[in-house]
Amino acid sequence: MQISMYQASAPRFANTLKNLSVILDKAQAYCEAKKYDPAALISYRLFPDMFQLSRQVQVACDTAKGAMARLAGIEIPKHEDTEKTFPELKERIAQTLAFIQTIKPAQVDGSEDKQIVMKRPSGDVTFTGMQFLLGHAYPNFYFHVTTAYNILRHNGVEIGKRDYIGQP
Amino acid sequence: MQISMYQASAPRFANTLKNLSVILDKAQAYCEAKKYDPAALISYRLFPDMFQLSRQVQVACDTAKGAMARLAGIEIPKHEDTEKTFPELKERIAQTLAFIQTIKPAQVDGSEDKQIVMKRPSGDVTFTGMQFLLGHAYPNFYFHVTTAYNILRHNGVEIGKRDYIGQP
């Protein structure tokens, strides 16, 4: 046995997205306890030209749904990126999880060598399925989840590595 | 064909560690250009009880070397965690890369179901090889590399997502 493309994708994205949702619960509870405006966290950036928290969550979701849809060869669900509150961001995650759960292993397995083309303003980039998943989707996905985590930690939310890793 | 445990581990860790080394080069050049003490960046934390930059780099290296050694069933190389400068941190990365390169695919392939025990003060945790790699080592590894990146971005180092992703 080796690792199937499904095993390396859907359950991994789903696990971390669920953890991110719990992290956002803790951020919301923190704002309520401290009487902070949640918008102060949701619009926070670690540097002026980095994405704010809400965008980090949106892009984490987009990376997961885009990877699953591209590997399965189906249309990527559209989201409007209008989330401005913790419940809305959690709903975005829930919709992404629901989409991931519609994809069956047979739709993704065997996509290791499938050609995946990412359209970019600077020119299209072509990957094999495995290269796309392991070298592009994974590091991007964990980047945005970790940066969301770092924004919240930097602002005093009491979360720890266990919240991020969850039950692997 | 599916993904082999080697394909999912050694080249992935190596690619991102090389990118991290280039990111540290840019951080060093930034300190030189701005006449900042490099120690100000190397000891920087995003929150008082988070790891400082040097520790993020050390733990990223430890996660990669530990994952490869555990999957291969060989002893984990020891490092003393004494790095205090950018060149020393880059040397730590180089040593980790050199160790990863000593491991042959045959040592790691087939370890999907191998029992991996992580010793913890709170009690041992047992994983299968695949669960350990995908659910534990990967998210931890990208967490520490991303947090190193975020520390540097937060302090004005001009790096971007391309530096982090490199050539997947």
Side-chain angles (χ1 to χ4, degrees):
Chain A
M1 162 197 148
Q2 291 184 311
I3 307 171
S4 75
M5 287 294 284
Y6 183 83
Q7 286 172 316
S9 55
R12 294 296 131 213
F13 292 130
N15 182 57
T16 297
L17 286 173
K18 284 177 199 161
N19 301 342
L20 180 59
S21 190
V22 173
I23 286 170
L24 294 182
D25 278 335
K26 293 192 175 186
Q28 183 175 2
Y30 173 75
C31 289
E32 287 163 7
K34 297 279 190 182
K35 306 202 188 311
Y36 292 156
D37 181 355
L41 285 188
I42 289 167
S43 64
Y44 194 89
R45 305 165 192 268
L46 287 173
F47 200 70
D49 66 350
M50 288 185 79
F51 289 157
Q52 60 182 27
L53 176 64
S54 56
R55 190 85 193 114
Q56 301 289 353
V57 175
Q58 289 161 352
V59 178
C61 289
D62 286 352
T63 305
K65 81 180 181 199
M68 294 310 303
R70 286 187 174 94
L71 292 172
I74 61 178
E75 199 174 341
I76 303 172
K78 283 198 171 43
H79 291 104
E80 295 300 328
D81 296 332
T82 53
E83 295 85 3
K84 289 187 178 354
T85 67
F86 286 119
E88 287 168 5
L89 288 169
K90 286 189 58 187
E91 176 58 25
R92 171 71 170 263
I93 294 172
Q95 286 174 13
T96 305
L97 280 168
F99 170 68
I100 291 173
Q101 281 154 7
T102 65
I103 297 178
K104 304 275 178 294
Q107 292 174 268
V108 169
D109 283 345
S111 61
E112 295 88 356
D113 291 327
K114 178 175 177 166
Q115 186 173 298
I116 306 281
V117 181
M118 300 284 287
K119 300 209 171 293
R120 291 285 165 71
S122 54
D124 293 355
V125 186
T126 303
F127 300 99
T128 64
M130 184 171 76
Q131 185 190 29
F132 166 71
L133 176 63
L134 300 183
H136 180 86
Y138 263 18
N140 270 302
F141 176 70
Y142 287 120
F143 178 94
H144 292 289
V145 175
T146 299
T147 304
Y149 174 103
N150 282 337
I151 287 171
L152 294 172
R153 277 288 258 129
H154 183 64
N155 282 283
V157 179
E158 291 191 2
I159 46 180
K161 185 69 89 54
R162 278 193 197 184
D163 296 300
Y164 166 79
I165 295 288
Q167 297 294 329
Chain B
M1 164 196 147
Q2 293 185 309
I3 308 171
S4 74
M5 287 293 284
Y6 182 82
Q7 286 172 316
S9 55
R12 295 295 131 211
F13 292 129
N15 182 56
T16 297
L17 287 172
K18 284 177 199 161
N19 301 341
L20 180 58
S21 190
V22 174
I23 286 170
L24 295 182
D25 278 335
K26 293 192 176 189
Q28 184 175 1
Y30 172 77
C31 289
E32 286 163 9
K34 299 279 190 182
K35 306 200 189 309
Y36 293 156
D37 181 355
L41 286 188
I42 289 167
S43 65
Y44 193 89
R45 304 166 192 267
L46 287 173
F47 200 71
D49 65 350
M50 287 185 80
F51 288 157
Q52 61 183 27
L53 176 65
S54 56
R55 189 84 192 113
Q56 301 289 352
V57 174
Q58 289 161 350
V59 178
C61 290
D62 285 352
T63 305
K65 82 181 179 196
M68 294 310 303
R70 286 188 174 95
L71 291 173
I74 61 176
E75 200 174 341
I76 303 172
K78 284 199 171 41
H79 290 103
E80 295 299 328
D81 296 331
T82 52
E83 294 84 3
K84 290 191 177 351
T85 67
F86 286 118
E88 286 169 4
L89 288 170
K90 289 189 55 188
E91 176 58 25
R92 172 69 170 262
I93 293 172
Q95 287 175 10
T96 305
L97 281 166
F99 169 68
I100 291 173
Q101 281 153 8
T102 64
I103 297 179
K104 303 275 176 294
Q107 292 174 267
V108 168
D109 283 345
S111 61
E112 295 87 357
D113 292 326
K114 178 175 177 168
Q115 186 173 300
I116 306 281
V117 180
M118 300 281 287
K119 302 211 169 291
R120 292 286 164 70
S122 55
D124 293 355
V125 185
T126 303
F127 299 99
T128 64
M130 183 171 75
Q131 182 190 31
F132 166 70
L133 177 63
L134 301 181
H136 179 86
Y138 263 18
N140 269 303
F141 176 70
Y142 288 120
F143 179 94
H144 292 289
V145 175
T146 299
T147 304
Y149 175 103
N150 281 336
I151 287 171
L152 294 172
R153 277 288 260 127
H154 183 64
N155 282 284
V157 180
E158 291 191 1
I159 45 179
K161 184 72 87 58
R162 276 190 199 186
D163 295 300
Y164 166 78
I165 296 288
Q167 298 294 331

Coordinates of all heavy atoms in Angstrom, one line a residue, chain A residues 45 50 111 138 144 148 153 167:
Chain A
R45 N -3.7 42.7 10.4 CA -2.7 42.2 9.5 C -1.4 42.2 10.3 O -1.1 43.1 11.1 CB -2.5 43.1 8.3 CG -3.7 43.4 7.5 CD -3.5 44.6 6.6 NE -4.8 45.0 6.0 CZ -5.2 44.6 4.8 NH1 -4.5 43.8 4.1 NH2 -6.4 45.0 4.4
M50 N 0.2 42.5 4.1 CA -0.2 41.1 4.3 C -1.7 41.0 4.3 O -2.4 42.1 4.6 CB 0.4 40.5 5.5 CG 1.9 40.2 5.4 SD 2.6 39.3 6.9 CE 2.1 37.6 6.6
S111 N -4.9 10.6 -9.6 CA -4.7 11.9 -10.2 C -3.2 12.4 -10.0 O -2.9 13.5 -10.2 CB -5.6 13.0 -9.6 OG -5.4 13.1 -8.2
Y138 N -0.6 22.1 -0.3 CA -0.3 21.9 1.1 C 0.5 23.1 1.7 O 0.0 23.6 2.7 CB 0.7 20.6 1.3 CG 0.0 19.3 1.6 CD1 -1.4 19.1 1.5 CD2 0.7 18.3 2.1 CE1 -1.9 17.9 1.8 CE2 0.2 17.1 2.5 CZ -1.2 16.9 2.3 OH -1.7 15.7 2.6
H144 N -1.7 29.7 5.3 CA -2.8 30.6 5.6 C -3.4 30.3 6.9 O -3.8 31.1 7.7 CB -3.8 30.7 4.5 CG -3.2 31.4 3.3 ND1 -2.9 32.7 3.2 CD2 -2.7 30.9 2.1 CE1 -2.3 33.0 2.1 NE2 -2.2 31.9 1.3
A148 N -3.3 32.8 10.1 CA -4.5 33.1 10.9 C -4.3 32.9 12.4 O -4.6 33.7 13.2 CB -5.7 32.3 10.4
R153 N -2.8 34.7 18.0 CA -1.8 34.6 19.1 C -1.1 35.9 19.3 O -1.0 36.3 20.5 CB -0.7 33.6 18.7 CG -1.1 32.1 18.9 CD -1.1 31.8 20.4 NE 0.1 31.1 20.9 CZ 0.9 31.5 21.9 NH1 0.6 32.6 22.6 NH2 1.9 30.8 22.2
Q167 N -6.8 16.3 16.2 CA -6.6 14.9 16.3 C -6.2 14.4 14.9 O -7.0 14.1 14.1 CB -7.9 14.2 16.7 CG -8.4 14.6 18.0 CD -7.5 14.2 19.2 OE1 -6.9 13.1 19.0 NE2 -7.4 14.9 20.2

